[in-house]
């Protein structure tokens, strides 16, 4: 029997190890709730306010450059565009049916190509050893969101390319293009929001409690971006109706999810600091403001081209700002040892 | 003094509680204890306490100096000291030790192991002068240099500063950083004709002519310095064979692992080559003054493509051999005073016993008893604890089973035990007959065999220059009057009264209200020549810093992590500030005295650089061993970096020195003492 | 004779005997770092740097007691923390002061955040149950850096790859103990089989409690003690809150919590598809 006087993980307050002792005392039948304790750490330390080591960070900041938020942006937009493209194929019996929608679908798929290849370029450029980018394909590791993301990107980019190249062709190539189009929709859905899992699946304290909302935030933001970019460059009425619905849904959910992210991250007040303070706070709020402004503008009865374009700019800017905010908030949270300590003590 | 007051009060309590039949206590002191004008008396204090507690000569007892060099004990055994010959034979004194007979007579004791003194001195001379030394010429005793006065380190540096020395060999030391008052050292170096430095790196002593504080300040220009400087790169300890002698008298051999790179050579090779070339240079000379060089035996075995000296052949000479067949001698009891034995160092006799390098033995501790006598070799005679007779009671039984070390075996009629006993066949009941001499004069119950009466001396009638019993004196520069006596400082301390060695007032100097002490940190080694050139050590402690209490920080306006300038009459230095509760202010007679602690490792060359703490010190020393007082002085401190001015003189107001406050009138009259350096008119230092 | 053997001597005999069993390579290896024995000498830092031939991390005075190393990183795999406290350790009378030291190191967690998040498979579990980064595979994606709950692993911008303590994998393969354990003069860093280390550690805590140091406890000794990582192969004996040593009080390997995010991802992706389809069919219905 272990003579060590550490506090057990779960205790009903009896200090009796039921593996070797029998509960037969008078009060042994008394019900007492078990409560998980901070395993092994002496009682005296639980109540005192946490110290830090000279204010030094506990965690390491991410080594990622702006390549990564740019990747969130372009990859997200690409993914959502591919989904939209596939949806248009489905809803309009393929690209052949209607001129306008067909072009929209093709545009979506080309956004997918451009966005995913640009995204891949950003990612490869950000690697410490870019020449080794193919090492991502050495393993298939479901525990790693980054590995899964590498496979998703590896699926998305080629299917997008095949779709873009073949979807208009007659004959077999065209059928291949069609099939690829649906496939890219599938991959694109993954591409648009796996990065939310990537961020939430880290040890950074600010995202721990918000992990359920991050993929939603990213997916919605991806939709916003795709719709905004289409709004910027696309004219047709039918197309506009689609992008407007798609964009509105995206913006609304982006705002709601963003709010939920901030709220759940701030359950422990210190953890939510980067949303409220400093440059990161400004950037995060700006993102919300831009997205809200974009939403309002896009819902105005005024359907002028100029309004549409401005709404598009605002939407894209808001989405871009959100991605950068996430990037900088990650590092601000990593730098703050109290965020980790307070969060872990709050459980 | 505050450090040694503790053993008498708080700390000593622990030693008292932990001493007796079943338990012993040891004093382990860092070498800073010695660097005071009363340094030797501090060690004496510890020795007296240990004698009273019965902690000498018993396992777990004794006094251990935690010293900073791998072979520091060896540096006095085979000495680098001016006043000793190997094995602690005194250097002859001019005018007193006129010949070998006079020398032996004045130093041989009537009793104890020093009674055999002539055997050691003659054997040494035979080792050095070989066939040329015989009984007819006093074994070439007059070849040995003789002291004409105080030739200690600080004294001849002062002489150097007065232009009295031509040349200087500096080997594996960095005196302008490691010794007190680098400024005065460098002044001396500038007056030399030539300087030879041997080291692993380009230490500050070798670079004084172009990288020094006074050159940085623009006071001195390199082109005005006439000294010729020669720098020889040295081999590291892994690149040469040889031995270390640790503080507990243990000789351990270290083996060469790789060849030194390029032109790097060991000291052994350098000295051998130097001697060889000097012999060649003076070969054929008929002048009497050259005989010591030409008659010197210099026939060590050479080996390898570079013809390096085989270090074991040197060990053979140090150990001693029979002159007739060069067979190694197994112990100093076999040395003779008739010229038939040669021995480079009598206490090391036995280290090459039977022609086997005993110091290279490496029997692991799990294959022998806990004393581990078969790991390496200790002097004398591989005895691990000296005076181990004291581990048994007067009847020869161990004081307790737990602390049994050596004991008298009645059946076999000899001493036995875990270690080599101090005496083997002398029973506890032995009492010396009247007229007994040498070893026979020591009784069977007197463990301290090197003393003339075999006793431990609580009162020391001779051996120390300043006093037979320790007491308290303030350092040369203090903040308070001596609370015990009107005599402020050690009356026999060594001073150098020179204009370029200004002292602060003895106490209450308004310009220097704080106490400074220096020490080491783990990450660096002494003057930094071996550590501040390595990145892995340098990054652990990159910058010179001082440590102060929060009270002093607040009082003066110093910030943790900021800069401070520390000033004495000798120099002004800057350091980073570390505010810590480990440094406590002293409360003395209602006054608060602040301490500043500073590691002394930094200087101007190397990967990490800083100002050198020892620049602040003056030349003042302990009278017994002339060791500098660097652990207690007064300074001033203020925030900010030091100014880089053209004029280097610290901006301190001139105040009267109040020298007379250090000494009672009686003590002031000690002119003519061989330890006091007197200024001649017109030969002022600065 | 045994009575005269110091505890350190006895233990080194014991450890040596344990070391002879390193030929049994199925045993889990690790460190038990007993901070109450640490003297802050930094021999571990230097031994590690020398053995692995790591570059220096710059020369700057931090004024954080004697800690100028600050933290573990790509080029520092052992880091000694220095904490000066205005209170005594239990059982000691130092006038209201104690100086805590801890030789921090990669924890080689039983569930390692870096390993489970590594997309290239560069980070592996060795036959000694330690966590090792293969420098020829790592492409420097940096994801491990934000997945370590202890802030250990890092990427050097000039090198591009992620690095951390290897638990001297090269030495273990030659039946040698890691450089830091070998250099440690007080045996504060003990290396051996995890089960042996756990046993020694628990005895040590009991011994310290008997002496009056009741605040001593084990950090990460096993899964029950630290469920978030399921135990650390390199665990510690501490004398104050974990935060004081810059250690997290309740670290959790991120992969234990990531399932929620994946489920949310599935819904989000599906939702995106539904939104897209909905937009298309909404448009059709308008037409």
């Amino acid at each position: 029997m272990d003579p060590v006087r550490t506090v057990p993980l779960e205790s009903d307050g009896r200090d009796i190890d039921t593996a070797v002792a029998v509960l037969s005392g008078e009060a042994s039948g008394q019900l007492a709730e078990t409560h998980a304790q901070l395993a092994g750490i002496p009682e005296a330390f639980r109540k005192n306010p946490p110290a830090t080591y000279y204010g030094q960070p506990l965690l390491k900041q991410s080594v990622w450059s702006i390549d990564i938020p740019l990747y969130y942006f372009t990859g997200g937009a690409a993914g959502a565009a591919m989904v939209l493209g596939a949806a248009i194929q489905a809803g309009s019996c393929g690209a052949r049916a209607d001129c306008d929608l067909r072009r929209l679908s093709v545009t979506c798929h080309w956004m997918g190509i451009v966005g995913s290849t640009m995204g891949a370029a950003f990612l490869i450029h950000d690697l410490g050893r870019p020449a080794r980018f193919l090492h991502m394909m050495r393993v298939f590791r479901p525990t790693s969101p980054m590995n899964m993301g590498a496979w998703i990107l590896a699926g998305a980019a080629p299917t997008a390319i095949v779709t873009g190249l073949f979807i208009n062709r007659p004959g077999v190539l065209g059928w291949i293009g069609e099939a690829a189009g649906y496939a890219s929709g599938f991959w694109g859905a993954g591409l648009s929001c796996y990065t939310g899992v990537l961020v939430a699946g880290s040890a950074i304290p600010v995202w721990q409690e918000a992990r359920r909302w991050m993929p939603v935030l990213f997916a919605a933001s991806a939709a916003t971006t795709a719709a905004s970019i289409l709004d910027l460059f696309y004219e047709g009425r039918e197309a506009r109706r689609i992008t407007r619905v798609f964009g509105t849904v995206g913006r609304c959910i982006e705002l709601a999810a963003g709010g939920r992210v901030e709220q759940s991250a701030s359950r422990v007040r210190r953890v939510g600091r980067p949303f409220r303070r400093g440059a990161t706070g400004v950037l995060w709020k700006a993102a919300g403001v831009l997205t809200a402004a974009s939403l309002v503008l896009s819902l105005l009865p005024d359907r002028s081209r100029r309004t549409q374009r401005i709404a598009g700019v605002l939407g894209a800017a808001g989405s871009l700002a959100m991605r950068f905010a996430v990037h900088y908030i990650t590092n601000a949270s990593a730098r703050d040892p109290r965020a980790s300590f307070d969060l872990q003590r709050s459980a | 003094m505050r450090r040694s007051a503790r053993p008498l009060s708080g700390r000593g309590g622990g030693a008292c509680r932990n001493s007796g039949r079943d338990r012993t206590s040891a004093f382990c002191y860092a070498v800073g204890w010695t660097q005071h004008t009363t340094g030797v008396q501090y060690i004496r204090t510890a020795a007296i306490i240990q004698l009273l507690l019965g902690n000498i000569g018993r396992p777990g007892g004794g006094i251990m100096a935690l010293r900073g060099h791998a072979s520091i004990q060896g540096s006095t055994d085979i000495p680098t000291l001016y006043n000793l010959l190997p094995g602690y034979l005194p250097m002859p004194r001019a005018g007193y030790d006129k010949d070998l007979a006079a020398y032996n007579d004045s130093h041989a004791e009537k009793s104890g192991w020093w009674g055999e003194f002539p055997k050691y001195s003659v054997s040494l001379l035979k080792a050095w002068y070989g066939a040329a030394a015989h009984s007819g010429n006093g074994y070439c005793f007059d070849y040995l240099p003789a002291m004409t006065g105080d030739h200690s380190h600080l004294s001849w540096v002062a002489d150097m500063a007065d232009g009295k020395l031509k040349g200087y060999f500096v080997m594996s030391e960095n005196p302008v950083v490691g010794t007190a008052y680098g400024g005065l050292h460098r002044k001396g170096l500038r007056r030399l004709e030539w300087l030879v430095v041997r080291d692993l790196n380009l230490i500050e002593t070798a670079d004084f002519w172009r990288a020094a504080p006074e050159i940085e300040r623009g006071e001195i220009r390199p082109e005005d310095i006439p000294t010729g400087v020669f720098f020889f790169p040295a081999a590291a300890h892994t690149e040469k064979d040889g031995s270390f002698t640790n503080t507990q008298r243990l000789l351990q051999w270290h083996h060469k692992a790789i060849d030194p790179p390029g032109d790097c050579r060991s000291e052994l090779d350098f000295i051998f080559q130097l001697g060889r070339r000097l012999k060649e240079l003076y070969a054929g000379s008929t002048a009497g003054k050259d005989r010591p060089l030409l008659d010197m035996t210099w026939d060590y075995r050479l080996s390898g493509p570079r013809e390096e000296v085989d270090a074991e052949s040197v060990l053979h000479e140090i150990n001693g051999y029979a002159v007739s067949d060069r067979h190694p001698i197994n112990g100093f009891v076999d040395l003779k005073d008739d010229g038939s034995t040669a021995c480079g160092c009598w206490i090391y006799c036995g280290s090459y016993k039977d022609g086997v390098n005993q110091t290279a033995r490496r029997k692991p501790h799990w294959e022998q008893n806990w004393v581990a006598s078969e790991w390496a070799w200790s002097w004398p005679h591989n005895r691990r604890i000296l005076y181990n007779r004291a581990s048994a009671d007067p009847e020869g039984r161990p004081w307790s089973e737990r602390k049994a070390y050596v004991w008298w075996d009645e059946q076999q009629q000899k001493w036995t035990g875990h270690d080599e006993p101090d005496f083997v066949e002398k029973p506890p009941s032995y009492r010396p007959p009247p007229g007994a001499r040498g070893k026979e004069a020591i009784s069977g119950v007197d463990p301290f065999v090197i003393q003339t009466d075999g006793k431990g001396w609580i009162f020391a009638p001779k051996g120390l220059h300043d006093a037979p019993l320790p007491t308290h004196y303030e350092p040369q520069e203090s903040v308070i009057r001596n609370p015990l006596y009107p005599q402020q400082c050690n009356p026999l301390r060594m001073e150098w009264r020179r204009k370029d060695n200004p002292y602060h007032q003895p106490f209450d100097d308004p310009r220097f209200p704080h106490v400074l002490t220096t020490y080491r940190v783990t990450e660096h080694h002494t003057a930094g020549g071996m550590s501040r050139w390595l990145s892995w050590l340098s990054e652990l402690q990159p910058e010179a810093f001082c440590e102060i209490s929060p009270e002093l920080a607040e009082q003066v306006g110093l910030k943790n992590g900021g800069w401070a300038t520390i000033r004495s009459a000798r120099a002004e230095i800057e350091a980073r500030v570390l505010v810590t509760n480990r440094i406590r202010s002293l409360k003395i007679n209602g006054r608060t005295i602040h301490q500043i602690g500073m590691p002394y490792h930094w200087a101007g060359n190397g990967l990490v650089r800083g100002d050198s703490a020892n620049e602040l010190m003056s030349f003042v020393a302990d009278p017994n061993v002339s060791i500098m007082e660097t652990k207690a002085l007064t300074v001033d401190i203020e925030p900010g970096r030091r100014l880089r001015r053209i004029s280097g003189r610290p901006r301190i107001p001139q105040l009267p020195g109040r020298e007379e406050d250090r000494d009672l009138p009686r003590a002031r009259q000690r002119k003519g003492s061989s330890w006091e350096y007197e200024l001649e008119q017109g030969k002022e230092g600065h | 004779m045994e009575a005269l053997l110091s505890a350190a001597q006895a233990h080194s005999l014991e450890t040596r005997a344990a070391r002879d069993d390193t030929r049994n390579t199925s045993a889990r290896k690790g460190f038990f770092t007993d901070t109450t024995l640490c003297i802050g000498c930094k021999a571990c830092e230097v031994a590690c740097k020398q053995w692995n031939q790591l570059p220096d991390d710059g020369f700057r005075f931090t004024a954080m007691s004697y800690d100028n190393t600050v933290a573990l990183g790509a080029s520092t795999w052992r880091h000694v923390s220095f904490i000066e406290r205005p209170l005594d350790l239990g059982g000691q009378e130092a006038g209201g002061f104690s100086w805590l030291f801890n030789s921090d190191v990669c924890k080689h967690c039983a569930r390692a955040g870096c390993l489970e998040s590594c997309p290239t498979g560069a980070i592996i579990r060795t036959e000694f149950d330690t966590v090792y980064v293969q420098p020829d595979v790592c492409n420097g994606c940096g994801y491990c850096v934000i997945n370590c709950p202890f802030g250990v692993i890092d990427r050097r911008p000039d090198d591009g790859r992620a690095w951390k303590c290897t638990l001297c994998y090269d030495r273990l393969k030659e039946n040698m103990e890691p450089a830091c354990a070998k250099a440690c003069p007080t045996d504060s860093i003990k290396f051996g089989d995890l089960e042996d280390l756990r046993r020694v550690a628990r005895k040590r805590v009991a011994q310290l409690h008997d002496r009056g140091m009741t605040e001593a406890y084990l950090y990460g000794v096993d899964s029950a003690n630290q469920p978030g990582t399921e135990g650390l192969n390199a665990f510690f004996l501490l004398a104050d809150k974990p935060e004081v040593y810059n250690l997290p009080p309740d670290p959790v390997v991120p992969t234990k919590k990531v399932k929620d995010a994946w489920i949310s991802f599935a819904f989000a992706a599906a939702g995106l598809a539904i939104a897209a389809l909905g937009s298309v069919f909404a448009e059709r219905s308008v037409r």
Side-chain angles (χ1 to χ4, degrees), chain A:
Chain A
M1 165 56 186
D2 202 335
V4 172
R5 294 167 227 183
T6 53
V7 181
L9 173 60
E10 295 208 320
S11 167
D12 63 356
R14 283 193 168 83
D15 287 0
I16 293 172
D17 181 356
T18 52
V20 295
V22 175
L23 284 171
S24 61
E26 280 283 329
S28 58
Q30 190 176 100
L31 286 174
E33 256 180 20
T34 63
H35 47 277
Q37 300 174 356
L38 271 174
I41 296 175
E43 190 61 47
F45 296 156
R46 301 216 194 111
K47 304 230 174 48
N48 299 338
T52 64
Y53 184 71
Y54 304 99
Q56 292 295 315
L58 166 71
L59 304 172
K60 294 280 182 280
Q61 293 183 77
S62 95
V63 297
W64 295 334
S65 66
I66 58 165
D67 282 333
I68 298 307
L70 287 172
Y71 166 70
Y72 296 154
F73 184 71
T74 54
M82 288 193 269
V83 171
L84 188 60
I88 293 171
Q89 274 177 256
S92 52
C93 305
R96 285 177 259 260
D98 177 279
C99 224
D100 203 22
L101 287 180
R102 175 180 149 226
R103 268 190 309 181
L104 177 61
S105 172
V106 169
T107 306
C108 284
H109 288 302
W110 274 99
M111 272 179 70
I113 295 173
V114 170
S116 57
T117 47
M118 271 180 77
F122 284 133
L123 287 187
I124 293 173
H125 180 254
D126 191 66
L127 286 177
R129 290 286 172 110
R132 295 182 180 178
F133 70 95
L134 283 176
H135 285 194
M136 296 295 201
M137 315 273 87
R138 281 177 86 250
V139 297
F140 180 80
R141 183 169 279 176
T143 55
S144 169
M146 181 166 276
N147 181 253
M148 292 292 96
W151 287 109
I152 289 171
L153 187 59
T159 50
I161 290 170
V162 168
T163 311
L165 290 177
F166 295 160
I167 195 158
N168 290 332
R169 300 283 171 91
V172 176
L173 288 179
W175 284 113
I176 291 174
E178 278 279 324
Y182 288 116
S184 78
F186 171 76
W187 288 113
L191 182 63
S192 69
C193 57
Y194 89 87
T195 43
V197 184
L198 185 78
V199 172
S202 68
I204 308 297
V206 72
W207 306 124
Q208 298 306 307
E209 311 258 297
R211 57 186 178 272
R212 282 184 191 81
W213 293 102
M214 290 299 283
V216 176
L217 174 64
F218 274 45
S221 184
T224 305
T225 316
S228 299
I229 291 175
L230 288 168
D231 275 347
L232 275 173
F233 299 114
Y234 221 77
E235 290 265 346
R237 280 186 48 181
E238 291 86 357
R240 274 205 65 197
R241 280 199 283 272
I242 289 177
T243 60
R244 198 149 154 256
V245 174
F246 195 52
T248 303
V249 171
R251 290 176 184 106
C252 287
I253 295 184
E254 184 175 354
L255 287 168
R260 288 298 291 142
V261 162
E262 181 176 347
Q263 197 181 32
S264 46
S266 303
R267 180 184 70 82
V268 175
R269 196 164 160 72
R270 179 78 186 210
V271 177
R273 238 183 182 208
F275 292 109
R276 298 189 302 268
R277 288 204 194 185
T280 50
V282 169
L283 195 54
W284 176 258
K285 289 190 177 21
V289 164
L290 288 166
T291 307
S294 170
L295 176 67
V296 165
L297 272 183
S298 71
L299 290 177
L300 285 181
D302 166 16
R303 290 166 195 270
S304 76
R305 183 81 187 104
R306 209 177 64 136
T307 317
Q308 178 191 345
R309 276 220 182 93
I310 294 172
V313 167
L314 291 175
S319 190
L320 186 66
M322 188 277 283
R323 310 304 193 153
F324 272 90
V326 165
H327 174 70
Y328 291 119
I329 286 172
T330 297
N331 282 349
S333 186
R335 278 196 300 272
D336 182 9
R338 287 276 312 274
S340 294
F341 295 156
D342 286 12
L343 181 62
Q344 291 173 21
R345 292 230 171 246
S346 73

Side-chain angles (χ1 to χ4, degrees), chain B residues 425-453:
Chain B
E425 275 145 12
K426 187 183 292 183
S429 53
Y430 173 83
R431 297 291 176 271
R437 312 268 303 181
K439 299 171 289 188
E440 317 307 328
I442 308 292
S443 78
V445 294
D446 289 323
F448 298 95
V449 295
I450 295 191
Q451 300 290 57
T452 49
D453 55 6

